[in-house]
Amino acid sequence: MEKLEIIGGKRLFGEIDVCGAKNAAVAVIPAALLVDGVCRIENVPNIKDVKLITQMLSYLGAKVEHIDETTISIDASRLTTHIAAYDMASRMRASYYLLGALLGRLHKAEVALPGGCNFGQRPINLHEKGFRALGAQVATVRGQVIATAEGLKGNNIYLDTASVGATINIMLAAALAEGRTVIENAAREPHIVDVANFLNTMGANVRGAGTDVIRINGVEKMHGGTYSIIPDQIEAGTFMLAAAAAGGNVLVKNVIPKHMESVVSKLEEMGVKVTEYDDSIRVERDGDVHGVRVKTNYYPGFPTDMQPQMVALLSTASGTSIMTEDVWENRFQYIGELQRMGADIRVEGKSAIINGGRLCGAPVRATDLRAGAAMIIAGLAAEGKTVINDPHYIDRGYSCIESRLRSIGASIERVYEV
Ligand code: EPU
């Protein structure tokens, strides 16, 4: 059994590079299914979720080659099936992008209901609404989502919630559809823009990504090309908060500072010193920081995927903080783990009320990906030894997390027990 062992209380110093964005990569890779030619994709993070989605493409008949650690090529010219492998698809959330991509390319798709981190209901009704508006029939039969269409025709689609997944899936299904599709109340996250840029590089015509109205003018065919994934906004934020929690002076490199505004603003409000450069951000903490109120929201709001890490940091800040989760209905399951480390937190409805203080090392569990990142941050700040069980959740989204944190002075090891 694998575990991560952290000896806390060591300040962090040095430079750390951010990898390509997980949530962009897991959408751009399936988007390559739309392309009749070879897509070379660079800055791909070396994480479990990416391995799984590339395996799913191979299963569909795409030729996937790993050129180096962060570059892959995908040739989906000859697909052999429209049915995704059940065991792989049901293990990750982003497998839902195979629906939009296969429907767009082959006009038929069969993909298991998606798995992934569990924080309350994770419906896909808006994805289905979009596919139906484009002319597809969609049904769920014994856990498989089945979508078929004679042909796809552009349409106007209003999303009741600015869903990241539905916005991307509709872009994928509409890229090769006949005529124009307009998505209103579209999500605006940086990875939406990244997927649109990828599609356009390969010959699609997508306009307005990054605003709440996206227009897709269907094209007949897309061609191969080269594309580089944006840096991971959430990984960058995780390292910034790790430096703020443990103290020290860390330069987080390969970031797009614009994507980090909500996180930077909260760190500064807490009294952490943040300096922005063109493509890096320095975080310095020396001494006490104080609690703040934070509310998660859609981009450009404070990301829900930084919520657990922020609660870990706020547990070390003086005074009372309030974290309100407004995107997911149940994303506080990890709080019991922070309480094992001495955190004084109570949950009232959508909010966690945190009375900051000192944390002490304890055995804890990574209950999901970002909760696992929060345990690392808490462990780095705590006194003594923290043992994180189930680190495989963390590996889904962070590449070689322990060696990268060690390079800035953290004492963190992966241990194997039989
Ligand atoms: N929603 C619906 N109907 C739908 C889809 C979503 O009601 O058909 C609701 C959800 O219940 C939720 C809200 O809309 O309340 C937002 O969900 P969204 O669809 O935006 O989330 P997602 O696409 O399933 C992605 C990320 C998550 C991240 C959310 C929100 C990927 C693979 N996952 O999920 O990332 O929390 O957007 O930003 O891109 C993570 O990386 O740790 C992670 C969980």
Side-chain angles (χ1 to χ4, degrees):
M1 229 185 344
E2 281 182 25
K3 296 174 183 208
L4 287 176
E5 274 188 13
I6 302 175
I7 306 296
K10 294 196 167 29
R11 286 154 58 79
L12 304 179
F13 291 94
E15 300 182 352
I16 190 162
D17 276 303
V18 172
C19 295
K22 162 189 167 278
N23 287 345
V26 296
V28 162
I29 291 167
L33 290 173
L34 292 162
V35 178
D36 210 353
V38 180
C39 300
R40 181 185 161 98
I41 309 172
E42 299 171 349
N43 203 31
V44 178
N46 188 5
I47 53 174
K48 271 195 181 162
D49 272 12
V50 161
K51 285 193 187 106
L52 203 53
I53 197 93
T54 50
Q55 280 165 12
M56 282 190 255
L57 259 67
S58 302
Y59 180 90
L60 295 168
K63 228 174 116 201
V64 181
E65 271 179 49
H66 294 266
I67 295 168
D68 61 39
E69 184 117 324
T70 58
T71 309
I72 57 173
S73 83
I74 300 172
D75 182 355
S77 309
R78 266 179 294 203
L79 297 178
T80 49
T81 176
H82 65 284
I83 304 173
Y86 175 84
D87 53 331
M88 291 191 250
S90 58
R91 270 166 38 207
M92 79 180 288
R93 189 74 192 156
S95 58
Y96 53 33
Y97 292 133
L98 299 175
L99 279 170
L102 287 169
L103 188 61
R105 179 75 191 279
L106 302 175
H107 295 170
K108 51 186 180 179
E110 266 193 58
V111 182
L113 277 170
C117 296
N118 173 21
F119 18 78
Q121 283 192 34
R122 297 191 70 174
I124 58 162
N125 59 309
L126 296 173
H127 304 231
E128 295 183 0
K129 173 182 167 176
F131 298 152
R132 289 195 182 102
L134 297 175
Q137 271 142 24
V138 187
T140 303
V141 182
R142 279 181 254 111
Q144 289 277 108
V145 185
I146 303 175
T148 49
E150 296 278 306
L152 295 169
K153 259 205 169 129
N155 204 344
N156 280 21
I157 299 156
Y158 175 83
L159 297 181
D160 309 285
T161 305
S163 154
V164 169
T167 302
I168 292 178
N169 239 340
I170 296 168
M171 291 196 314
L172 300 184
L176 296 171
E178 192 189 322
R180 171 187 271 214
T181 298
V182 180
I183 310 174
E184 289 180 72
N185 196 29
R188 293 178 285 162
E189 270 66 7
H191 35 294
I192 305 279
V193 181
D194 210 35
V195 176
N197 287 342
F198 169 80
L199 293 171
N200 288 339
T201 303
M202 307 300 155
N205 183 345
V206 181
R207 301 286 170 256
T211 75
D212 59 0
V213 181
I214 299 180
R215 295 185 174 78
I216 304 125
N217 293 302
V219 295
E220 270 184 24
K221 214 174 170 177
M222 287 164 64
H223 52 74
T226 297
Y227 191 76
S228 182
I229 304 269
I230 50 166
D232 197 309
Q233 167 206 12
I234 304 302
E235 188 179 83
T238 302
F239 292 148
M240 289 164 64
L241 267 53
N249 181 336
V250 174
L251 184 68
V252 183
K253 288 166 57 183
N254 188 30
V255 302
I256 299 177
K258 173 93 191 131
H259 295 166
M260 307 309 304
E261 278 173 355
S262 59
V263 174
V264 168
S265 130
K266 282 296 153 192
L267 284 175
E268 287 179 333
E269 203 182 317
M270 292 177 74
V272 177
K273 186 170 175 213
V274 183
T275 316
E276 291 182 27
Y277 305 98
D278 287 348
D279 60 359
S280 56
I281 297 182
R282 183 176 297 285
V283 176
E284 290 170 74
R285 174 180 174 181
D286 194 8
D288 241 11
V289 294
H290 51 84
V292 290
R293 281 174 174 252
V294 189
K295 192 169 150 193
T296 66
N297 209 334
Y298 302 99
Y299 186 81
F302 190 90
T304 172
D305 294 342
M306 289 298 303
Q307 183 259 98
Q309 301 91 311
M310 189 66 179
V311 169
L313 169 62
L314 293 173
S315 305
T316 70
S318 59
T320 301
S321 297
I322 301 180
M323 169 61 81
T324 303
E325 173 57 55
D326 245 1
V327 176
W328 296 113
E329 61 180 20
N330 185 14
R331 204 174 189 172
F332 284 134
Q333 301 100 316
Y334 64 90
I335 279 181
E337 304 301 310
L338 284 181
Q339 285 166 338
R340 289 177 201 275
M341 300 178 70
D344 175 359
I345 308 175
R346 69 176 195 283
V347 177
E348 284 182 11
K350 288 162 81 174
S351 296
I353 293 117
I354 305 135
N355 292 310
R358 295 188 86 88
L359 297 176
C360 51
V364 293
R365 208 166 75 78
T367 53
D368 65 51
L369 165 59
R370 307 302 172 189
M375 294 309 132
I376 292 182
I377 290 174
L380 293 173
E383 265 171 40
K385 180 162 138 185
T386 294
V387 179
I388 304 176
N389 291 281
D390 291 335
H392 57 91
Y393 282 111
I394 301 170
D395 301 332
R396 290 182 58 173
Y398 297 89
S399 166
C400 307
I401 188 75
E402 64 275 23
S403 55
R404 291 160 78 206
L405 286 172
R406 267 200 308 270
S407 76
I408 52 171
S411 169
I412 173 170
E413 297 288 340
R414 191 171 294 248
V415 294
Y416 301 86
E417 275 177 14
V418 275

